[in-house]
Amino acid sequence: MTTTAPVTAIACHVLSVEALSPAISKVLLQPQQAVDYQPGQYLQLVLSAEDKRPFSIASIASQPQLELHIGTPAGDSWSSAALTHLKQQHAAALPVMAEIGLGLAQLRQDSQRPVILLAGGTGFSYVYAIAQALSAANASQPVFLYWGVRQQDALYYQPQIQQWATQGKKFSYIPVVQEPDNLWQGRSGLVHEAVLADFVSLEAYDIYIAGPFAMAGVAREAFAEQGAQRQHMYADAFAYI
Ligand SMILES: Cc1cc2nc3c(=O)[nH]c(=O)nc-3n(C[C@H](O)[C@H](O)[C@H](O)COP(=O)(O)OP(=O)(O)OC[C@H]3O[C@@H](n4cnc5c(N)ncnc54)[C@H](O)[C@@H]3O)c2cc1C
């Protein structure tokens, strides 16, 4: 596990667990002491001393609560065990323990380079935090948020993001559905392929990636072939693949 510094687990009250879609839950945590973290970092939910599970923090540090998006697709036990723990502690009004502010793929706040945010599924949590931080900082560079999902009902924050895109001239939002139904009028296919189709060269861009490990690996190599500089591609998934 790659971390920026040793991090102590902090008690957090589970304020709410609500469904964003049939297979994705939004969790709000209230830390019991002050916490600091960078946009795009993650926390580890401590299930036991040997069992800690990482989740991207969808909120930014200026917000009082920690927001998580937890996907529990059919057949998954990795994140459903974490969600069950959160629900049980919520029902019992007991805190959970979390190590907060982990990872090295946080927003490079000093960079003026244009930004591509690439999310696969619940990897959206990570790019959402970065997009919020860029917006809060009134960042002047163009931002392109690509969000790939298997079916369009997994685009759980679509209205908010579309509103950003209509308000901000330099913010573009491109949802990409892998297996769309007949009603879908947007882009389809694999999300990283949409990026490859849209940019002749990726050399100038800071690229932030979160999603399935397989997607992160394929995107890194394909983007590098299209000019992206490896030192300007960021993903905590890279530490796992
Ligand atoms: C540091 C860290 C943080 C994490 N944070 C979270 C979190 O906040 N929430 C959470 O639920 N899990 C998290 N995980 C676990 C894991 O990353 C997620 O389970 C994973 O991103 C879930 O993807 P999905 O099922 O939503 O995407 P899927 O529905 O499987 O895929 C979404 C899209 O990704 C692309 N894609 C998928 N597979 C491929 C492929 N093989 N090749 C090319 N493109 C592909 C496609 O465009 C597809 O439509 C985290 C893991 C780590 C290590």
Side-chain angles (χ1 to χ4, degrees):
M1 184 71 51
T2 309
T3 64
T4 46
V7 172
T8 307
I10 288 172
C12 302
H13 282 306
V14 185
L15 296 179
S16 61
V17 181
E18 67 179 77
L20 290 168
S21 79
I24 302 168
S25 298
K26 170 180 166 179
V27 176
L28 288 180
L29 300 178
Q30 181 70 61
Q32 294 306 286
Q33 63 188 77
V35 294
D36 194 20
Y37 58 93
Q38 300 299 309
Q41 288 196 306
Y42 64 91
L43 60 72
Q44 289 203 118
L45 187 66
V46 180
L47 300 190
S48 72
E50 299 78 32
D51 189 353
K52 303 174 184 181
R53 305 194 182 196
F55 292 99
S56 298
I57 305 171
S59 45
I60 55 177
S62 57
Q63 296 164 343
Q65 295 153 0
L66 298 165
E67 178 176 335
L68 308 179
H69 303 166
I70 300 185
T72 49
D76 162 272
S77 59
W78 185 89
S79 50
S80 54
L83 189 62
T84 299
H85 176 67
L86 286 156
K87 286 180 174 174
Q88 285 173 342
Q89 297 302 97
H90 180 48
L94 291 171
V96 296
M97 300 302 292
E99 298 173 348
I100 297 161
L102 301 169
L104 297 172
Q106 74 277 4
L107 173 64
R108 271 47 182 179
Q109 308 209 39
D110 294 337
S111 174
Q112 300 303 313
R113 292 159 56 87
V115 171
I116 294 173
L117 303 173
L118 178 72
T122 52
F124 176 77
S125 176
Y126 164 81
V127 302
Y128 182 56
I130 292 178
Q132 288 179 93
L134 287 165
S135 171
N138 285 320
S140 57
Q141 67 265 56
V143 177
F144 302 86
L145 192 164
Y146 285 80
W147 187 7
V149 294
R150 290 185 193 272
Q151 277 93 27
Q152 60 251 43
D153 67 356
L155 296 168
Y156 49 84
Y157 269 24
Q158 174 109 318
Q160 290 97 311
I161 306 302
Q162 278 175 330
Q163 194 182 2
W164 280 1
T166 52
Q167 287 171 347
K169 290 191 180 64
K170 294 193 169 176
F171 180 83
S172 303
Y173 166 55
I174 306 96
V176 183
V177 180
Q178 191 175 346
E179 300 156 3
D181 65 20
N182 292 336
L183 299 174
W184 180 247
Q185 297 185 333
R187 306 282 291 273
S188 59
L190 296 175
V191 63
H192 78 283
E193 291 181 349
V195 175
L196 293 169
D198 289 353
F199 296 86
V200 175
S201 169
L202 294 167
E203 185 177 7
Y205 295 85
D206 284 347
I207 305 177
Y208 297 88
I209 302 171
F213 293 168
M215 183 208 78
V218 167
R220 176 172 58 179
E221 298 314 310
F223 290 176
E225 280 185 27
Q226 202 141 313
Q229 300 180 47
R230 289 181 186 271
Q231 69 272 26
H232 289 293
M233 286 193 275
Y234 309 104
D236 283 313
F238 294 162
Y240 292 78
I241 56 179

